[in-house]
Amino acid sequence: MGFFDAPALNHHEQIVFGYDEETGLKAIIAIHDTSMGPALGGCRVWNYKSEKDAVRDVLRLSEGMTYKSALAGLNLGGGKSVIMGRVRDVGNEAAFRAFGRLVDSLGGRYVTAEDVNTTPQMMEWVHEETDYVAGLSPEMGGSGDPSPFTAYGTFVGIKAAANKAYGSDSLEGKTVAVQGLGHVGIYLVEHLSKAGAKIIVTDIKEDRIKDMLKIKNVSAVEPDEIYDAEMDIFAPCALGSIVNDETIDRLKCQIIAGAANNVLSDYDKHGKILLDRGVLYAPDYAINAGGVINVYGEFEGYSEKRSYARVNHIYEILQQIFERSAEDNIPTMDAADTIAEERIRKIGRLKQMHRSGKRLFSKI
């Protein structure tokens, strides 16, 4: 089987490999689908074990962005980028300006933004070389850090899942295990604490845990112990594939609903297991869409109030997914995919019919 026949490509429109010898930049940009609009997706820095792992990650993430935007009702396509290496080695101005030139070479087909291990400062460096970057600081005409919106949307999604599982969206007294205390995880813990939940946290960085222990109703466990914790809701907010063959039997929860991407290592296999066990899974690209919803506001004149109003719709979106899952007796991921694909076919076809060459993205 050749590279272009590999199942992992899954109809991707374009994959770009960028290398800059001077800075050591090794970057991959994947554009999954642009039928709904330009491909928007963040750039993450990660020290992948191999180039194969980096390609696999960027393909899964870019495809997820297509479905995320479609399900959220946004006129955007799906894309993603990864930079291989350690942040201390590649997280500098020269490397990110080189990355900006790579983004610019695509002429607006891909718009980048902040993601795992990238910062607003890095995006400003990218912006020195291209206009196709979103999520910049308000001072630069952007919408700022998307993390609060991702966290709020995840919180709204957890309430929707609780309503489905328990008949009430109140989180008072419910035990929620939050895995990962990056920007999103921290904001999520604050929302959960205010809602009266009991919270178990973990992270690979001890200083983050110490800060969270100052918040009401928060306790902590070691990273690997989180899977064995007595909990009602598991909220993964770190990296993906953490519900896998090794962890799925250890989880003691009724709901899995978190901000991480690609939570299920194998969508088909693990989604079916969760369905058979009666564990309600909130599809990752549905529940964590708050950040991209906020960034989308930049395409039409940014309003924070309007962004939060749109993020609130995640509740209704998940209700639709849960209802479709129950009606058809299919995993929630399959239900979410079906709903997203229906919009891509209907709206995407209309957009193609009426396209006149004008891009949706207005240069910042």
Side-chain angles (χ1 to χ4, degrees):
M1 179 184 292
F3 177 78
F4 289 100
D5 300 316
L9 289 181
N10 202 11
H11 309 297
H12 275 76
E13 294 179 3
Q14 190 173 6
I15 304 170
V16 180
F17 295 83
Y19 174 64
D20 182 72
E21 184 175 9
E22 185 69 25
T23 63
L25 175 77
K26 296 179 180 179
I28 308 171
I29 299 174
I31 297 175
H32 179 252
D33 187 282
T34 57
S35 61
M36 297 287 294
L40 173 68
C43 171
R44 67 174 47 181
V45 175
W46 195 255
N47 192 25
Y48 294 97
K49 292 181 180 179
S50 67
E51 293 176 2
K52 182 178 179 181
D53 287 345
V55 170
R56 179 176 184 270
D57 199 31
V58 77
L59 290 178
R60 292 189 76 188
L61 291 166
S62 58
E63 182 181 3
M65 288 302 300
T66 296
Y67 283 76
K68 180 183 295 187
S69 292
L71 199 61
L74 310 179
N75 294 320
L76 294 172
K80 206 76 173 184
S81 56
V82 298
I83 294 176
M84 300 178 63
R86 296 172 297 187
V87 178
R88 67 187 184 192
D89 296 326
V90 297
N92 55 69
E93 180 181 2
F96 272 84
R97 292 188 68 160
F99 174 68
R101 292 191 291 273
L102 180 64
V103 171
D104 198 64
S105 71
L106 294 172
R109 279 176 51 77
Y110 169 68
V111 182
T112 194
E114 185 181 348
D115 201 88
V116 176
N117 285 331
T118 52
T119 65
Q121 175 62 73
M122 294 172 183
M123 292 302 106
E124 290 182 19
W125 290 331
V126 172
H127 187 46
E128 292 291 331
E129 304 292 338
T130 185
D131 291 313
Y132 301 115
V133 54
L136 295 169
S137 68
E139 292 76 17
M140 297 186 69
S143 58
D145 182 9
S147 300
F149 295 88
T150 303
Y152 178 68
T154 302
F155 172 68
V156 168
I158 289 174
K159 288 175 68 67
N163 188 56
K164 176 65 176 178
Y166 306 121
S168 168
D169 64 10
S170 173
L171 300 177
E172 185 77 35
K174 293 288 188 293
T175 299
V176 185
V178 178
Q179 180 190 48
L181 297 172
H183 288 173
V184 174
I186 289 172
Y187 285 120
L188 177 60
V189 168
E190 292 173 353
H191 285 301
L192 292 169
S193 177
K194 291 176 183 177
K198 299 175 183 177
I199 309 152
I200 303 170
V201 300
T202 195
D203 195 276
I204 58 175
K205 296 184 179 181
E206 292 186 6
D207 58 329
R208 293 178 178 177
I209 293 176
K210 290 179 181 178
D211 289 339
M212 289 296 96
L213 291 177
K214 300 173 185 177
I215 298 176
K216 182 181 178 181
N217 294 333
V218 174
S219 60
V221 296
E222 293 297 319
D224 188 61
E225 294 174 356
I226 195 77
Y227 303 107
D228 303 305
E230 295 291 339
M231 56 180 145
D232 299 300
I233 302 167
F234 180 41
C237 296
L239 295 179
S241 297
I242 51 84
V243 175
N244 51 52
D245 290 341
E246 286 71 40
T247 62
I248 196 166
D249 289 333
R250 296 167 59 186
L251 292 170
K252 305 177 183 68
C253 58
Q254 290 77 52
I255 296 170
I256 299 177
N261 287 306
N262 300 321
V263 170
L264 306 184
S265 179
D266 185 318
Y267 288 152
D268 294 332
K269 178 181 179 180
H270 300 123
K272 184 65 164 58
I273 291 173
L274 294 177
L275 177 67
D276 291 343
R277 294 180 180 178
V279 177
L280 185 64
Y281 175 60
D284 44 53
Y285 67 76
I287 193 172
N288 67 15
V292 71
I293 290 171
N294 181 57
V295 168
Y296 182 71
E298 295 181 17
F299 291 73
E300 52 188 14
Y302 182 68
S303 164
E304 182 180 285
K305 182 178 179 180
R306 183 171 55 200
S307 287
Y308 272 114
R310 281 179 167 164
V311 172
N312 274 319
H313 287 305
I314 289 175
Y315 194 107
E316 287 76 26
I317 291 168
L318 282 171
Q319 283 184 318
Q320 294 174 24
I321 292 170
F322 297 150
E323 289 172 5
R324 179 72 69 92
S325 172
E327 289 173 1
D328 298 345
N329 193 32
I330 58 175
T332 52
M333 277 299 296
D334 291 348
D337 287 353
T338 299
I339 295 171
E341 287 164 0
E342 287 173 354
R343 183 170 189 268
I344 292 170
R345 283 195 301 270
K346 294 177 182 178
I347 307 301
R349 183 173 64 251
L350 290 174
K351 285 180 67 65
Q352 288 176 343
M353 290 172 60
H354 294 286
R355 253 180 204 164
S356 60
K358 182 180 179 180
R359 291 194 182 97
L360 171 66
F361 185 80
S362 299
K363 293 187 177 182
I364 295 174

